[in-house]
Amino acid sequence: MLRRITLISIITLYTICSAKAQNNPLVTEDEAAQNQWVDSLYNSMTLEERIGQLFMVQVFSNKDAVHEEQIAKLIKENHIGGLIFSLGGPYRQAKLNNKLQSMSKVPLLVGMDAEWGLSMRLDSTFAYPWNMTLGAIKDEKLIEKTGFQIGKHCKRLGVHFNFAPVVDINTNPKNPIIGNRSFGEDRDAVTEKALAFMEGMQKAGVLANAKHFPGHGDTDSDSHKTLPTIHFNAKRIDSVELYPYRELIKKGLSSVMVAHLNVPAMESRAGYPSSISKNIVTNVLLDSLKFQGLVFTDALGMKGASNFSQPGDIDLAAFEAGNDVLLMSENVPLSIEKISNAIKADQISEERLARSVKKILMAKYKVGLNNYEPIILEGLGKDLNTLEDNLLNEELFENAITVLKNQNDILPLRDLEKKKIAYVSFGDDTGTPFFTELKKYTKVHGIKGEKLDDVLGKLSNYNTVIIGLHRSNDTPWKAYQFTDKELVWLYEIARLKDVILTVFTRPYSLNDLKSIENIEGIVLAYQNSKVAQQKTAQSLFGGIASKGCTPVSIGNYFKPGDGLTTNALKVLTYGIPESVGMSSIAFEKVDSVAKYAVTNKMTPGIQLLVARKGKVIFEKNYGYHTYDNKEPVKSEDLYDVASLTKILATLPLLMELVDKGEISLNSTLSELLPEYHGSNKANITLKSMLSHYARLKPWVPFYVATLDSISGKPSADYYRRTESDKFHIKVAENLYLRTDYPDSIQKIIRDNDLLPKLSYRYSDLPYYILKSYLERYYGRGLDKLIQEHFYHSLGANYTTYNPSEIFSNTQIVPSEEDNYYRFQRIQGYVHDMGAAMQNGVGGHAGIFSNANDVAKIMQMYLQKGFYGGKRYFKPETLELFNTCYYCSQQNRRGIGFDKPQLGDKGPTCGCVSPTSFGHSGFTGTYTWADPEDEIVYVFLANRTYPSAEQNILLRENIRTEIQRLIYEAIIE
């Protein structure tokens, strides 16, 4: 019988932190109740029942009824004390767990190997990063959060013990079984992270387990298959391998798992496993390290142990060595018989048995098995895969990304207008998420080839090559190295091009590199998960900073702790709503409104994007290009954005000139364009006409005068079916307008009458005029100017005039079935007739883009002229243009920008800030930015297809209703 002082010391063992025991859910106030429960149960048990408590048997929730019956028999007849669940699924495990618990006289202690979460064993559960990835993270609070979340999952599934954290110090790069499961090779770093993980998990109410004692980190063989040997002397083992255990024990470690290792320095008998060594278990772990928690064997069926002796013998030897829980015995009934016989023969004392059994019962009390309740099945899947998990997972991978080499500051990638970037994928797993994310930032081409010469030939036009090594992310034990072929290719490509090598597997893969001299950038991503690929792509372009450090040595190149910090460049990044104080659940309403619009044929399709605080947190596509439902809308598809052209093309070029002092808002038309001298528009200022407060007519239907008066079709006086010098302006497929007609348009505008009364009147005409001015000022076409000054450096590679010259029509969404001017499907040509008559390049219309690119430009505005490490204009310039100068005259407009309504009706939901700005387009497009809530909203549609006559989208306020719901999603 144990003395009370011994029980109290056992209670103390389960304290996560003695200084904060009052906050620990594992510590109860009524120790007397604990002792009474333990003593009462123990005293009521027969010898065989007590011995049965020592055994934790393996259970699979994906096996058949025969397996289930075998476990049930062990519970009923052999009174086993616990279960360790292995492969299966969460609902199946929960049901089986409830069933098996109901059979047991004493509630069963349930354990699992869930080192990186339940997904280590179960389908449909959450996978956190492996320990090697966590080892790259400097912020220990994130590791503690990880332990806490994994603990929550375990507790929800009725798991009381998680056999984690692994505290092995992986000093052998060729370790076949630990590797990625270790936090690294630095003793102190491993200890700090293991401690943080342990504390987080135990705060969640789940007992931790440090493994594999006395240290499995420097082995080159797998104890599942053989008995590995640790060759170090006792001093080294004490100062390195045992150090994490010593520190975790001080902080309330619940349990330890003893490995099957040959440790000559600690056990004199040759080839004698540590798991059955009394010197290692009792003398070192229990006595020297003063550990009083539960001691588990590693699985007794592993070859490192089972090769040593017969079933039953190994269990007896393990118990005699000092272990409390015999894990996954090969023959429970036989083992119970042998231990029972040993006790009856006084080979083992009853006090020794009581010590282990009462520790086991005390653990059961700590996890609430004194008041056992079945697992609730309802909502189980949702509880094991939460938004909180996704948010933390993103944060972990962001913080792990490690830049090891950054020659000439190649990272993050800047000056995109000077970069021609290619991506080459190595490895046997997909790099699609990485490549997809790269393309969000700029034009990146994927290069493939069977032979090196073919690849080098295809790379001839590129100056920067991103190489990704992608290996399977299924388990930590998968192959991770470069092939010989890949190494040859890497050296040759790096000899000719600037190379950024990005490794999506364990750091040891870099050990194979004979030289890194010609590689400009080396980035460790550690895993090939989708999130790891996305976050790494974002870091390459400065969406997020790199903060990680390598947890292990890499050849002679890098040592533990090495890692270069790179700064974020204030470009868009991508994540989930909760990361910026918004609700994913609230966005379900946004989703339903967009679906409603498509279902009710207000538009064939929609691209929808929302960003906050520089992060895109909702990006989704709806519907198809047309109502024939053949071509689904994709993120890379281009929409005719119509009047958004005003703020996406003309306005930034004007802001640039104002910023340089070349013009001002008070510049008049006669000052900008000499031909306006003496005209009725000579004194109209930039400020007044871009505020739509200059008496200019809303628009002029220039195309009508070019139609045949009888047929109503394009007149032969103005159009030809084939191109020539005189008919050079392509308004649609096989339809060319007279080359001199744009000059006629400018003359018509100049000579046009003004409206009789000064009042707010929206007009396209200022942008015809300003196109002429900008092209004359620079001596370049507006389409070339905007690309050179803004789009190239912004990485807006899906934004262009005349997209059919660059993109396939399968990527361009059609705008209308034109039956009044061009008499054909308008696809790849601007919908606006006046812009079409200027060769597709209008100051007021003509831009095609996708939601992601529009968001980049709006984010640049939101950041007051700064994006991607480049300042396009000063903040004061943005403020000049984002000001309502005529609000007192009931004119809400800024300079070029639309602004929120002054009354009840207007262009927004009425819930945006007064400093917000944006624009809408005739084709159904809309974008808005709000500096106060840091929101960018982009809605692209082709509501004009097949006909522009009906505008249900506007009548039902779909765009502004979505905007209202976006603001309702803010949860801060």
Side-chain angles (χ1 to χ4, degrees):
M1 186 67 65
L2 291 175
R3 294 173 297 174
R4 177 172 171 76
I5 185 68
T6 307
L7 281 174
I8 292 175
S9 66
I10 293 171
I11 293 168
T12 305
L13 283 174
Y14 295 99
T15 306
I16 289 174
C17 179
S18 57
K20 297 181 179 180
Q22 67 272 19
N23 296 323
N24 182 0
L26 304 182
V27 175
T28 61
E29 297 177 359
D30 190 356
E31 293 179 0
Q34 298 176 45
N35 297 340
Q36 183 179 4
W37 189 82
V38 170
D39 289 342
S40 175
L41 266 180
Y42 185 82
N43 293 334
S44 69
M45 291 177 178
T46 64
L47 177 62
E48 284 69 24
E49 287 174 336
R50 291 171 181 175
I51 297 171
Q53 289 296 304
L54 305 175
F55 292 87
M56 182 174 274
V57 300
Q58 188 175 27
V59 185
F60 295 84
S61 61
N62 64 351
K63 288 194 175 183
D64 57 15
V66 174
H67 171 72
E68 184 180 316
E69 185 55 39
Q70 290 170 344
I71 304 302
K73 184 176 181 181
L74 291 173
I75 293 170
K76 295 173 183 177
E77 297 182 7
N78 300 111
H79 318 291
I80 57 172
L83 309 172
I84 174 170
F85 276 97
S86 193
L87 302 178
Y91 279 98
R92 287 171 286 168
Q93 178 168 313
K95 291 176 182 178
L96 182 56
N97 185 35
N98 288 347
K99 186 175 182 178
L100 295 176
Q101 286 281 18
S102 69
M103 299 175 182
S104 184
K105 176 181 176 182
V106 178
L108 297 160
L109 193 64
V110 177
M112 277 192 74
D113 274 323
E115 295 168 17
W116 55 89
L118 296 173
S119 67
M120 182 173 178
R121 299 298 180 196
L122 304 179
D123 60 42
S124 309
T125 53
F126 200 85
Y128 273 103
W130 302 326
N131 281 356
M132 187 68 76
T133 309
L134 300 180
I137 298 171
K138 297 176 182 177
D139 186 354
E140 313 298 355
K141 291 181 180 178
L142 291 175
I143 312 302
E144 183 177 338
K145 285 182 182 179
T146 305
F148 183 79
Q149 284 300 112
I150 291 175
K152 279 176 61 178
H153 293 174
C154 289
K155 188 173 184 179
R156 177 67 178 86
L157 193 57
V159 176
H160 312 116
F161 260 101
N162 182 9
F163 293 108
V166 172
V167 299
D168 298 316
I169 300 165
N170 203 81
T171 49
N172 188 337
K174 296 183 179 180
N175 194 321
I177 191 60
I178 304 303
N180 276 326
R181 299 166 67 197
S182 168
F183 288 113
E185 73 174 64
D186 180 80
R187 181 197 75 171
D188 295 333
V190 169
T191 301
E192 289 166 5
K193 286 174 172 56
L195 180 60
F197 189 98
M198 178 196 83
E199 290 184 334
M201 193 161 59
Q202 294 194 163
K203 283 178 182 176
V206 171
L207 303 175
N209 178 274
K211 62 186 187 185
H212 306 82
F213 188 84
H216 209 320
D218 200 308
T219 62
D220 56 10
S221 55
D222 181 356
S223 55
H224 292 83
K225 302 175 182 178
T226 187
L227 183 66
T229 297
I230 303 296
H231 296 284
F232 300 120
N233 60 38
K235 183 179 180 181
R236 148 66 196 242
I237 293 171
D238 182 70
S239 64
V240 178
E241 275 73 17
L242 297 186
Y243 181 81
Y245 295 96
R246 188 176 290 112
E247 296 305 306
L248 267 63
I249 287 169
K250 292 177 185 177
K251 298 294 185 179
L253 174 65
S254 299
S255 70
V256 167
M257 177 181 286
V258 183
H260 308 306
L261 300 169
N262 178 35
V263 192
M266 301 175 74
E267 172 54 62
S268 59
R269 287 168 288 186
Y272 202 80
S274 51
S275 53
I276 58 174
S277 167
K278 187 170 184 177
N279 186 58
I280 292 174
V281 179
T282 296
N283 297 347
V284 177
L285 178 58
L286 300 181
D287 295 343
S288 177
L289 296 181
K290 296 180 172 55
F291 181 61
Q292 295 173 309
L294 279 178
V295 182
F296 288 79
T297 67
D298 207 339
L300 292 173
M302 292 166 60
K303 296 302 181 183
S306 62
N307 279 352
F308 181 79
S309 187
Q310 294 298 314
D313 291 340
I314 193 76
D315 303 72
L316 175 60
F319 186 66
E320 289 182 309
N323 293 284
D324 300 309
V325 182
L326 308 175
L327 193 66
M328 295 164 60
S329 171
E330 288 191 296
N331 192 325
V332 172
L334 180 59
S335 299
I336 290 176
E337 180 183 346
K338 292 193 175 186
I339 294 173
S340 176
N341 290 338
I343 293 172
K344 291 173 183 177
D346 292 331
Q347 181 182 337
I348 299 172
S349 69
E350 288 196 21
E351 184 178 8
R352 165 70 188 92
L353 178 64
R355 186 186 76 191
S356 288
V357 176
K358 288 194 174 185
K359 284 165 70 176
I360 292 167
L361 295 176
M362 184 61 70
K364 292 186 176 185
Y365 191 98
K366 298 301 174 187
V367 297
L369 285 175
N370 58 310
N371 292 307
Y372 165 74
E373 292 183 1
I375 301 164
I376 297 171
L377 298 181
E378 184 179 357
L380 180 61
K382 184 177 180 182
D383 292 342
L384 299 180
N385 296 275
T386 68
L387 290 169
E388 191 175 5
D389 293 313
N390 288 322
L391 183 61
L392 177 57
N393 196 45
E394 286 192 355
E395 196 172 5
L396 292 170
F397 278 110
E398 282 186 19
N399 279 268
I401 295 166
T402 304
V403 175
L404 290 176
K405 189 176 181 185
N406 193 14
Q407 187 172 312
N408 301 323
D409 288 328
I410 193 171
L411 296 170
L413 289 161
R414 299 173 293 271
D415 302 322
L416 299 182
E417 68 277 17
K418 300 176 183 177
K419 298 284 195 301
K420 293 185 177 179
I421 303 174
Y423 161 70
V424 177
S425 178
F426 286 177
D428 55 3
D429 204 7
T430 180
T432 300
F434 183 55
F435 185 38
T436 300
E437 204 79 358
L438 291 174
K439 291 190 292 182
K440 291 180 179 179
Y441 287 93
T442 191
K443 190 176 293 183
V444 180
H445 290 125
I447 301 298
K448 295 181 180 179
E450 293 298 321
K451 297 181 180 180
L452 176 59
D453 287 345
D454 294 339
V455 171
L456 292 178
K458 293 176 182 178
L459 289 175
S460 61
N461 293 325
Y462 300 90
N463 54 28
T464 305
V465 181
I466 298 170
I467 296 177
L469 176 61
H470 302 277
R471 294 288 187 193
S472 174
N473 198 64
D474 290 345
T475 75
W477 304 284
K478 287 282 189 175
Y480 62 90
Q481 294 169 303
F482 290 90
T483 64
D484 291 341
K485 173 184 174 182
E486 288 167 348
L487 289 172
V488 171
W489 283 33
L490 172 61
Y491 299 142
E492 284 301 303
I493 295 171
R495 187 172 60 84
L496 301 171
K497 305 291 179 181
D498 286 348
V499 163
I500 300 167
L501 175 61
T502 312
V503 177
F504 294 93
T505 185
R506 68 178 73 178
Y508 296 127
S509 60
L510 295 174
N511 285 343
D512 292 336
L513 299 186
K514 296 177 181 178
S515 171
I516 62 171
E517 182 179 356
N518 291 329
I519 303 173
E520 281 70 25
I522 299 177
V523 181
L524 287 176
Y526 300 95
Q527 294 183 229
N528 201 43
S529 68
K530 181 179 180 180
V531 172
Q533 292 189 49
Q534 291 172 332
K535 292 301 177 183
T536 304
Q538 292 170 30
S539 75
L540 296 191
F541 286 95
I544 54 180
S546 65
K547 309 171 189 176
C549 59
T550 175
V552 296
S553 301
I554 300 172
N556 296 319
Y557 306 125
F558 308 105
K559 61 183 184 301
D562 282 354
L564 304 171
T565 299
T566 62
N567 297 321
L569 295 180
K570 297 196 77 171
V571 298
L572 286 176
T573 184
Y574 303 82
I576 63 175
E578 282 70 16
S579 64
V580 291
M582 301 189 82
S583 166
S584 295
I585 295 174
F587 273 100
E588 292 176 3
K589 295 181 180 178
V590 170
D591 187 60
S592 66
V593 173
K595 289 177 178 176
Y596 170 80
V598 170
T599 301
N600 288 274
K601 296 191 174 182
M602 300 178 195
T603 176
I606 296 170
Q607 278 184 4
L608 184 54
L609 181 149
V610 181
R612 191 178 192 214
K613 298 182 179 180
K615 181 177 286 188
V616 176
I617 44 84
F618 187 87
E619 185 179 13
K620 194 167 181 180
N621 307 307
Y622 303 86
Y624 296 82
H625 286 196
T626 66
Y627 290 120
D628 63 12
N629 294 354
K630 290 182 179 178
E631 191 69 47
V633 176
K634 301 177 294 295
S635 296
E636 296 81 10
D637 291 340
L638 279 69
Y639 278 85
D640 181 339
V641 300
S643 285
L644 267 60
T645 299
K646 297 178 173 71
I647 66 170
L648 300 181
T650 305
L651 201 62
L653 289 167
L654 290 171
M655 295 172 81
E656 190 178 48
L657 289 176
V658 169
D659 194 72
K660 293 176 180 178
E662 296 294 312
I663 57 176
S664 76
L665 296 186
N666 293 318
S667 295
T668 63
L669 281 182
S670 61
E671 292 170 337
L672 297 176
L673 294 165
E675 61 267 31
Y676 278 86
H677 279 293
S679 75
N680 59 357
K681 302 173 184 66
N683 295 321
I684 291 176
T685 64
L686 199 61
K687 179 170 74 174
S688 63
M689 71 176 182
L690 288 181
S691 299
H692 303 282
Y693 199 65
R695 296 173 58 200
L696 293 173
K697 289 184 177 180
W699 77 301
V700 175
F702 300 106
Y703 78 97
V704 173
T706 67
L707 299 179
D708 183 86
S709 58
I710 298 175
S711 68
K713 293 189 176 182
S715 168
D717 293 337
Y718 294 98
Y719 296 94
R720 292 289 187 273
R721 291 294 175 184
T722 56
E723 183 180 10
S724 66
D725 289 342
K726 289 186 178 181
F727 293 86
H728 184 65
I729 297 173
K730 195 174 185 181
V731 297
E733 202 65 29
N734 300 318
L735 189 61
Y736 296 89
L737 175 66
R738 270 173 36 182
T739 306
D740 61 356
Y741 201 81
D743 294 333
S744 300
I745 289 175
Q746 291 295 329
K747 186 177 184 303
I748 291 169
I749 293 172
R750 186 190 65 202
D751 297 340
N752 210 261
D753 291 336
L754 294 173
L755 295 172
K757 181 181 177 182
L758 179 62
S759 63
Y760 163 60
R761 194 71 182 273
Y762 181 79
S763 174
D764 282 343
L765 299 187
Y767 293 90
Y768 285 83
I769 298 168
L770 291 170
K771 172 184 184 292
S772 178
Y773 165 71
L774 289 167
E775 292 183 336
R776 193 176 304 180
Y777 179 89
Y778 285 107
R780 302 271 287 159
L782 184 63
D783 52 343
K784 303 294 191 299
L785 289 172
I786 192 60
Q787 291 287 347
E788 293 165 2
H789 289 231
F790 286 88
Y791 296 165
H792 287 326
S793 55
L794 284 167
N797 51 295
Y798 292 97
T799 308
T800 184
Y801 286 100
N802 292 316
S804 58
E805 296 176 2
I806 306 170
F807 298 91
S808 164
N809 263 11
T810 59
Q811 200 174 339
I812 305 170
V813 179
S815 302
E816 190 177 20
E817 296 290 345
D818 184 339
N819 61 4
Y820 53 89
Y821 172 36
R822 287 165 280 186
F823 296 91
Q824 60 182 271
R825 172 176 288 191
I826 304 304
Q827 184 174 15
Y829 298 93
V830 59
H831 177 267
D832 182 271
M833 296 74 76
M837 299 173 83
Q838 298 174 82
N839 221 14
V841 183
H844 67 296
I847 286 291
F848 287 70
S849 189
N850 69 348
N852 190 61
D853 273 9
V854 174
K856 290 178 186 179
I857 299 166
M858 296 303 287
Q859 188 66 32
M860 182 268 289
Y861 286 142
L862 204 60
Q863 293 168 182
K864 298 185 177 182
F866 186 87
Y867 191 89
K870 180 176 180 177
R871 178 155 292 286
Y872 292 88
F873 43 78
K874 295 186 286 291
E876 309 90 82
T877 303
L878 187 281
E879 295 304 325
L880 275 177
F881 281 75
N882 187 30
T883 298
C884 176
Y885 292 96
Y886 301 102
C887 278
S888 58
Q889 282 77 39
Q890 293 304 302
N891 179 352
R892 68 174 188 266
R893 296 275 176 167
I895 306 299
F897 293 117
D898 202 354
K899 298 284 289 175
Q901 56 262 41
L902 300 175
D904 296 333
K905 294 183 179 181
T908 76
C909 59
C911 52
V912 298
S913 76
T915 61
S916 68
F917 55 90
H919 216 286
S920 59
F922 183 77
T923 51
T925 57
Y926 184 90
T927 187
W928 209 267
D930 191 336
E932 293 188 22
D933 284 301
E934 299 181 77
I935 288 176
V936 167
Y937 163 41
V938 183
F939 181 104
L940 301 185
N942 57 331
R943 68 95 195 161
T944 50
Y945 189 89
S947 170
E949 291 181 0
Q950 292 188 347
N951 196 347
I952 308 173
L953 194 74
L954 180 63
R955 287 206 307 270
E956 295 211 18
N957 299 316
I958 295 298
R959 296 172 297 185
T960 53
E961 176 60 13
I962 287 176
Q963 186 178 53
R964 182 184 67 80
L965 293 171
I966 291 167
Y967 279 78
E968 285 186 0
I970 298 174
I971 54 178
E972 289 177 332

